[in-house]
Amino acid sequence: MTWLPTAGSIVHLRRAGVSVLVDARGPGQPVVLHWGTDLGELNQGELAALARGLVPAVPNAVTDDPLPRGLIPEGSLGYRGRPGLSGQRSGADFAPQLQLATIELEGGSADFLLTDETAGLAVRSCWRLADSGVLQVHQELTNIGAAAYQLAELAVILPVPAQAEEVMDFTGRWCRERAPQRRPFAFGSWTRENRRGRTGADSAFVMIAGSAGFANRHGQVWAVHLGWSGDQVTWAEAHPDGTRVLGAAELLTPGEIELAAGQSYRTPSVFAAHSAAGLDGVSDRFHAYLRARPSHPQSARPAVLNTWEAVYFDHDLARLTRLADQAAEMGIERFVLDDGWFGGRRDDTSSLGDWDVSPEVWPDGLEPLVSHVVGLGLQFGLWFEPEMINVDSELYRAHPDWVLGPPGRLPPSARHQQVLDVANPDAFDHLFGKIDGLVKKYRISFLKWDHNRDLINAVHDGRPGVHAQTLAVYRLIDELKKANDGLEIESCSSGGARVDLGILARTDRVWASDCNDALERQHIQRWTGLLLPPELIGAHVGPPTAHTTGRTQSLSFRAATALFGHFGVEWDISSASAAERDALTEVITLYRRLRPMLHSGTVVNVDHPDPAATVSGVVAPDRSTALFSYAQLTTGVTEGPVPMRFSGLDPDRSYRVTVLDPAGGTGRIQRREPAWISDGEVTLPGRVLHEVGLALPVLQPEQAVLVELTADPAPTTGATAS
């Protein structure tokens, strides 16, 4: 249905305990009145009364009328913050005043068409409230003028209320991705700009505003994520007039987007979630949204062996077939051959772009290995870094003009490589042909798609090229998956430097970090899981001594950490002892038993009072089973750990609680186990386990205890979650 503004309405989108109110009665742009907790069923009279009740006073020394903060805030009307639309037409049309033209409503969706005939601009603002309560917003700008329009920025800006007193986002680096940081939501702007050409290990990731002291399981929280894999900017902004907003946009380089008459630009989608139940409530919404996508992986996530930390560049058929034999014996289901199989690639200095199997290392091609792996009943996967090129490569020698950079001058090298201009049609076709041919020839079911450097001085056809490169990569992945039914792809980018819902719209998991140190992974996986459910997060058991940190950790701690993701192994298991292989086999068996619950259930992060430890888990959708982890990160202040509480259970069902010890024991520094562990199990109601908890063994640092809970079969009626 299309509504004209003369028939004006206040649009009320409601789903999953969330309300979005947009006053579209005019004049001017629609105004967001509320984004947050569900307000219930309201008629137009009640909505009009609410809108009237929110009209502010007019203080001294400001404009004579209250400032309207439209869907696309405009400086031309006195908006003091970062405007929603910035650009110009050779110095003109830099201050548009958009007016509502039409509204299209359907279910949980509302599309608002805004125009300024004088400035020659039209914007379609598209709002979708999903069944999960996630709000997805994008804008589309069309140049309806005669002359070209130079776009600087088109943003999605969402208001948050005064109760949002703190701001949280993320930073990081290689092997320490997604480290949280928080601060007061003070006057001014907290702005995070990413100019790396990819999402970045230091990405803001999710920008969060929340009530004072918000935590895992309590507090009002508003969160936004930009689903884009190129340059980006996110911000939290507060002004003395009471304005508080969260904003996000693609970060455009000057001159990157110029719209000729009739041309359009579409923003990446912003995904926004509100919860009155803290950060876990936001995660619940994001996870439900992702799991409801038609493209979400439907098959059980196979246990993986990746060869990188097993053999590095030392490819040898006999060694790799032995690895595959051992992997199959242990219950591994997918075997992934990493870097080093192509061209002259014996180290990281050459051959990127030469996507032909190395005749020196593989004189009979990959077929002997592939046939052996597939014959064992395993899927075969292969590593690529399609977007990159080494100067020392046959491809560069043939096509130096395919480098993404200014003509006649190379950008600074990184990891001995340059970036291939995927938006160049010839380079695109070359990549598609090479990858598609290998996928078909070798029955490849999985690609580890790597991306190991930033885009610097990215010039495409004489213009800034990050935008074009990002869209070209998306199209390349889309075309490969269309041509190869069932092909799965992992987004890897120096580990976790490309983790966003833009790349995940077309890939099947992310590699959260190049760091397999389980202590670091406890934090990296927890915060990656703020946005992504466990089945999308690659989590592997690395070797006893982590090659990125030098720490040596027990198999039990490494395994307990990797279980809460898409489980795999990145370790030369032929060098492991027989006892270690037996223990790892037990872990893989446990993963395969638990993954239906782990990859469909609700993620729980308990607000544990001791910062030296974390308590987290997954509870089945029907709350019949759960798996929790107590991870001792450092030594605690108390002589023994405080009791472990279990959130998210059915309060009125009793649970049998047992300790799982699949990897041969954890390091304990105690004279006696807690009594219930010595007894083998304990059975208690969910409300007791939530409110009181259970005693734990005294663990050495970098150890974990896994606890499985199984509910009695009695049905629950009218209960609420703990």
Side-chain angles (χ1 to χ4, degrees):
M1 178 185 295
T2 299
W3 288 5
L4 297 176
T6 52
S9 171
I10 298 178
V11 176
H12 189 187
L13 305 179
R14 294 179 62 214
R15 282 186 174 169
V18 174
S19 279
V20 179
L21 291 182
V22 182
D23 187 349
R25 296 173 301 169
Q29 287 195 45
V31 175
V32 180
L33 301 175
H34 173 78
W35 163 48
T37 302
D38 186 17
L39 301 178
E41 190 68 40
L42 297 172
N43 60 42
Q44 283 293 315
E46 292 168 323
L47 292 172
L50 174 59
R52 183 70 177 168
L54 291 175
V55 176
V58 178
N60 293 325
V62 298
T63 54
D64 291 339
D65 294 309
L67 171 66
R69 289 186 287 272
L71 299 184
I72 302 172
E74 297 165 312
S76 59
L77 297 179
Y79 183 73
R80 303 173 187 174
R82 189 176 186 130
L85 173 60
S86 299
Q88 48 91 28
R89 203 187 306 272
S90 300
D93 301 330
F94 61 89
Q97 293 188 20
L98 296 164
Q99 305 290 317
L100 179 63
T102 62
I103 314 168
E104 296 179 9
L105 299 175
E106 183 177 354
S109 302
D111 289 359
F112 306 92
L113 179 61
L114 315 172
T115 62
D116 183 340
E117 298 288 344
T118 301
L121 300 172
V123 179
R124 183 174 296 275
S125 185
C126 302
W127 295 56
R128 308 280 186 271
L129 188 60
D131 290 341
S132 61
V134 169
L135 177 64
Q136 182 178 353
V137 184
H138 74 268
Q139 330 261 25
E140 186 170 347
L141 171 69
T142 301
N143 179 12
I144 59 174
Y149 180 79
Q150 296 82 38
L151 176 64
E153 185 169 279
L154 179 57
V156 173
I157 299 175
L158 296 172
V160 294
Q163 293 94 309
E165 298 180 58
E166 296 183 19
V167 174
M168 176 177 171
D169 66 341
F170 296 83
T171 185
R173 57 173 174 81
W174 179 69
C175 284
R176 200 178 188 277
E177 296 89 340
R178 285 168 290 288
Q181 54 185 10
R182 61 195 293 170
R183 65 198 65 242
F185 200 152
F187 289 137
S189 298
W190 173 247
T191 302
R192 298 292 309 284
E193 293 188 349
N194 179 1
R195 303 176 185 273
R196 304 181 69 163
R198 55 175 170 170
T199 318
D202 58 344
S203 163
F205 188 49
V206 181
M207 181 72 79
I208 299 162
S211 55
F214 71 87
N216 290 328
R217 307 286 295 177
H218 70 267
Q220 292 267 355
V221 175
W222 295 261
V224 299
H225 167 82
L226 183 69
W228 181 243
S229 309
D231 290 344
Q232 54 195 263
V233 55
T234 55
W235 64 93
E237 194 169 55
H239 294 279
D241 67 355
T243 297
R244 286 176 187 250
V245 299
L246 298 176
E250 180 183 6
L251 183 60
L252 297 171
T253 301
E256 189 160 13
I257 299 295
E258 182 172 274
L259 301 177
Q263 285 188 329
S264 298
Y265 162 83
R266 174 173 169 161
T267 69
S269 287
V270 167
F271 299 85
H274 166 264
S275 171
L279 295 168
D280 274 5
V282 163
S283 293
D284 290 348
R285 296 199 186 281
F286 283 136
H287 295 180
Y289 172 85
L290 289 165
R291 286 170 170 167
R293 300 171 304 159
S295 63
H296 193 73
Q298 299 300 311
S299 60
R301 301 293 77 213
V304 178
L305 175 73
N306 186 276
T307 66
W308 178 242
E309 291 190 36
V311 303
Y312 296 100
F313 289 106
D314 185 15
H315 286 203
D316 174 79
L317 177 60
R319 183 181 181 186
L320 288 164
T321 53
R322 284 197 301 272
L323 272 177
D325 289 338
Q326 291 174 322
E329 290 171 5
M330 297 167 67
I332 291 291
E333 300 158 297
R334 174 181 285 167
F335 183 94
V336 181
L337 183 65
D338 211 288
D339 194 1
W341 55 268
F342 54 94
R345 186 75 164 179
R346 307 291 81 83
D347 55 34
D348 68 356
T349 65
S350 74
S351 300
L352 285 177
D354 298 341
W355 302 114
D356 294 302
V357 178
S358 171
E360 291 79 21
V361 178
W362 298 97
D364 298 314
L366 293 178
E367 186 57 39
L369 177 63
V370 174
S371 294
H372 189 82
V373 168
V374 174
L376 292 169
L378 279 64
Q379 299 176 15
F380 182 75
L382 194 61
W383 180 96
F384 282 88
E385 193 172 358
E387 299 155 72
M388 301 299 157
I389 184 171
N390 287 125
V391 171
D392 182 10
S393 68
E394 296 305 318
L395 184 64
Y396 178 82
R397 284 184 276 273
H399 293 287
D401 54 312
W402 286 5
V403 169
L404 184 65
R409 185 172 62 195
L410 288 176
S413 66
R415 209 185 183 218
H416 312 289
Q417 62 195 53
Q418 295 290 336
V419 180
L420 193 68
D421 185 358
V422 184
N424 179 313
D426 294 331
F428 183 100
D429 291 344
H430 171 83
L431 282 176
F432 177 85
K434 289 291 185 181
I435 299 171
D436 181 62
L438 288 164
V439 168
K440 288 180 167 61
K441 180 177 181 179
Y442 291 120
R443 307 177 299 288
I444 295 169
S445 61
F446 174 83
L447 300 181
K448 180 178 179 181
W449 188 294
D450 215 339
H451 180 281
N452 278 312
R453 64 155 293 168
D454 293 346
L455 278 58
I456 301 173
N457 201 5
V459 178
H460 166 74
D461 281 350
R463 285 186 176 276
V466 171
H467 176 82
Q469 177 81 355
T470 305
L471 293 181
V473 171
Y474 287 171
R475 186 167 67 89
L476 178 60
I477 295 173
D478 291 343
E479 291 296 321
L480 284 166
K481 297 196 82 171
K482 181 179 178 181
N484 297 278
D485 187 45
L487 178 66
E488 294 192 358
I489 297 177
E490 173 184 70
S491 172
C492 176
S493 184
S494 306
R498 188 154 66 180
V499 175
D500 62 79
L501 298 191
I503 199 70
L504 269 163
R506 53 216 10 109
T507 55
D508 302 277
R509 73 173 216 168
V510 301
W511 184 228
S513 178
D514 281 341
C515 184
N516 278 322
D517 179 320
L519 180 63
E520 300 296 330
R521 274 287 184 142
Q522 284 282 330
H523 298 289
I524 293 167
Q525 290 172 201
R526 185 270 173 271
W527 293 113
T528 304
L530 176 67
L531 181 68
L532 306 185
E535 63 269 26
L536 296 182
I537 303 172
H540 292 182
V541 175
T545 299
H547 85 154
T548 56
T549 66
R551 288 193 186 103
T552 299
Q553 294 158 338
S554 69
L555 177 55
S556 62
F557 185 54
R558 285 143 52 213
T561 302
L563 275 170
F564 290 91
H566 181 178
F567 179 89
V569 178
E570 194 127 354
W571 176 18
D572 182 4
I573 52 178
S574 66
S575 68
S577 68
E580 287 176 318
R581 287 197 293 272
D582 288 344
L584 187 55
T585 300
E586 190 177 352
V587 174
I588 294 167
T589 301
L590 179 65
Y591 167 73
R592 293 175 63 168
R593 175 171 73 84
L594 292 176
R595 67 186 167 192
M597 183 273 291
L598 291 172
H599 296 168
S600 65
T602 301
V603 175
V604 174
N605 293 283
V606 177
D607 289 308
H608 191 64
D610 184 358
T614 62
V615 176
S616 58
V618 179
V619 179
D622 63 359
R623 294 187 290 178
S624 62
T625 60
L627 182 71
F628 276 79
S629 166
Y630 174 90
Q632 189 71 51
L633 307 180
T634 64
T635 57
V637 174
T638 56
E639 293 175 347
V642 300
M644 175 183 185
R645 297 184 302 114
F646 301 86
S647 298
L649 304 176
D650 187 325
D652 294 329
R653 293 175 78 176
S654 290
Y655 289 83
R656 180 169 59 90
V657 188
T658 57
V659 170
L660 299 180
D661 204 4
T666 57
R668 286 158 160 79
I669 43 177
Q670 60 186 19
R671 296 178 63 187
R672 184 180 301 163
E673 292 273 29
W676 75 273
I677 296 179
S678 297
D679 294 342
E681 64 180 58
V682 67
T683 300
L684 287 167
R687 62 181 179 277
V688 175
L689 292 168
H690 170 69
E691 293 295 340
V692 181
L694 295 172
L696 289 164
V698 183
L699 301 181
Q700 296 172 345
E702 300 178 43
Q703 297 289 347
V705 171
L706 292 178
V707 180
E708 186 174 17
L709 299 94
T710 305
D712 62 33
T716 298
T717 56
T720 57
S722 298

